[in-house]
Amino acid sequence: MTQTTLRQHLQAQQTDTDLMILMEDIATACRMIADRVRHGAFAGVLGAAETENVQGETQKELDVISDELFQQVVGGNPSLAALVSEEVDEVNWRKTAPQAGDFVVYYDPLDGSSNLDVNLSVGTIFSIVRLNAAIAPEASAVQIKGTKQVAAGYAIYGPSTGLVITVGQGVDGFTHHPGSGEFLLTQPEMSIPPETKEFAINASRYDMWHPPVRNYIDDCLRGKNGPRGKTFNMRWCASMVADVHRILTRGGVFLYPADAGNAAQGGKLRLMYEANPMGMLVEQAGGASSTGLGRILEVAPTGHHQRVPVILGSREEVAVIEGYHKK
Ligand code: AHM
Ligand code: MG
């Protein structure tokens, strides 16, 4: 087993010290969230809290607990300008006069939390942008394109706790080592095969899909004798972290398109703390991420809880799906 710790790895990549400390704070928050998730059944916190988040979704108690932990641990970082959380309506400003060099962290403290009571993998997703100029602390100031991310990643709370990160130099996977408490490098240089025969989509929404997505899936399902000329496998975890982790490990494509049921909102998944960080990770691993019509990282945000269609994974398959959209 490699003994490279998260810090040693970030130092080897010559990561700026402020960014390294911020990433370590995020890793600490994730370790603490992992502990709460693991003890959730004993503490009786796997159920719904009596609240809704800004998207009108019922919050799980652990959603709220995870968000509080993240705020406590990461919110104290001295280089942090603001936190933007899936669970909190307003931008959480940590500085009254953010300066060039300060960071904005966008995060989903517990993604896939509908899987908690059935004991499937969930995770924490984060995206980090560094300000290149002083800003006034207004919500519009955090509407920054995904191309400006300096780092992104997620923690996955599964059979083991993993941490997958990029600081723009490829993607590396770590596993929490319970004895030492460290995240140790276990999956260096993760890369996504360009081609695949596996897709992930919530097929119960078939009736609501727009023609490009329906035609693409129909053609995949026709197998060897259909237009794609190969048999496809299907997976759907209903937990984006788990689906993306599989794609980073063995390839595949993930789709959560806009459809007749969610088009008014722009899709289901959120741009700034779900699509952008996963998009950066996938691109850094040699894959592609698209709305169907263009690169996710190029979407100009209009709100910090904005939703977008998400198609990501093996780059040749993403290009095929974009082709169905252009037809
Ligand atoms: P959440 O942030 O409220 O957990 O929602 C995001 C999750 C993703 O992890 C997952 O891909 C998707 O919602 C599953 O949606 P569905 O329940 O429609 O399958
Ligand atoms: Mg989420």
Side-chain angles (χ1 to χ4, degrees):
M1 183 185 66
T2 173
Q3 294 295 321
T4 305
T5 64
L6 177 63
R7 162 138 359 147
Q8 286 170 337
H9 173 78
L10 290 171
Q11 279 173 331
Q13 289 197 326
Q14 299 188 319
T15 307
D16 165 90
T17 304
D18 290 343
L19 179 58
M20 188 168 72
I21 293 171
L22 179 60
M23 303 271 292
E24 288 193 318
D25 283 348
I26 292 172
T28 300
C30 292
R31 276 199 305 269
M32 294 169 78
I33 294 169
D35 182 60
R36 294 302 192 94
V37 169
R38 221 164 286 300
H39 288 90
F42 306 121
V45 292
L46 296 182
E50 285 173 1
T51 49
E52 282 188 348
N53 68 11
V54 57
Q55 353 261 340
E57 297 156 342
T58 306
Q59 290 175 306
K60 296 276 180 180
E61 271 187 71
L62 268 170
D63 282 323
V64 179
I65 292 168
S66 302
D67 188 59
E68 286 168 2
L69 275 172
F70 199 100
Q71 283 188 45
Q72 276 167 26
V73 177
V74 182
N77 183 285
S79 314
L80 186 70
L83 289 173
V84 177
S85 167
E86 173 175 327
E87 302 302 334
V88 182
D89 190 359
E90 304 293 333
V91 177
N92 178 353
W93 291 101
R94 312 305 290 193
K95 291 196 178 182
T96 48
Q99 299 299 312
D102 288 344
F103 298 101
V104 179
V105 174
Y106 309 82
Y107 66 105
D108 180 351
L110 201 56
D111 185 63
S113 52
S114 66
N115 289 301
L116 280 170
D117 23 21
V118 287
N119 205 12
L120 295 179
S121 296
V122 293
T124 300
I125 310 173
F126 64 91
S127 156
I128 304 176
V129 166
R130 191 161 213 178
L131 299 175
N132 54 19
I135 54 164
E138 290 160 7
S140 59
V142 302
Q143 292 168 17
I144 302 169
K145 274 189 186 179
T147 47
K148 300 288 183 199
Q149 293 172 105
V150 292
Y154 61 81
I156 180 165
Y157 313 122
S160 59
T161 294
L163 182 72
V164 174
I165 59 157
T166 180
V167 291
Q169 298 176 52
V171 177
D172 296 285
F174 300 78
T175 303
H176 180 238
H177 180 249
S180 63
E182 294 284 350
F183 278 109
L184 299 179
L185 183 63
T186 45
Q187 287 154 285
E189 297 169 29
M190 296 175 89
S191 89
I192 301 176
E195 292 176 41
T196 185
K197 292 195 274 188
E198 190 166 82
F199 62 81
I201 192 165
N202 182 345
S204 71
R205 303 181 69 85
Y206 185 91
D207 267 2
M208 294 183 270
W209 290 342
H210 298 319
V213 171
R214 194 184 300 197
N215 293 339
Y216 166 69
I217 298 293
D218 282 346
D219 286 352
C220 291
L221 292 176
R222 286 167 64 195
K224 271 204 186 101
N225 301 321
R228 300 303 311 284
K230 52 185 179 182
T231 301
F232 278 77
N233 190 27
M234 194 204 78
R235 287 286 183 274
W236 184 249
C237 297
S239 174
M240 191 190 199
V241 167
D243 279 316
V244 170
H245 197 66
R246 183 188 61 256
I247 288 170
L248 282 167
T249 306
R250 70 175 192 211
V253 278
F254 169 97
L255 301 91
Y256 212 119
D259 60 33
N262 63 32
Q265 293 82 44
K268 157 127 189 185
L269 298 175
R270 279 51 58 112
L271 173 64
M272 309 214 69
Y273 38 80
E274 292 175 328
N276 274 341
M278 293 309 202
M280 181 179 183
L281 285 165
V282 164
E283 287 190 6
Q284 284 289 321
S289 68
S290 174
T291 61
L293 298 173
R295 197 176 164 212
I296 287 173
L297 270 50
E298 295 284 0
V299 173
T302 53
H304 54 271
H305 293 297
Q306 177 180 350
R307 299 174 190 252
V308 283
V310 174
I311 298 160
L312 54 77
S314 294
R315 69 171 181 272
E316 289 183 14
E317 198 63 19
V318 172
V320 167
I321 302 170
E322 283 183 322
Y324 280 79
H325 283 78
K326 285 174 191 149
K327 264 183 206 163

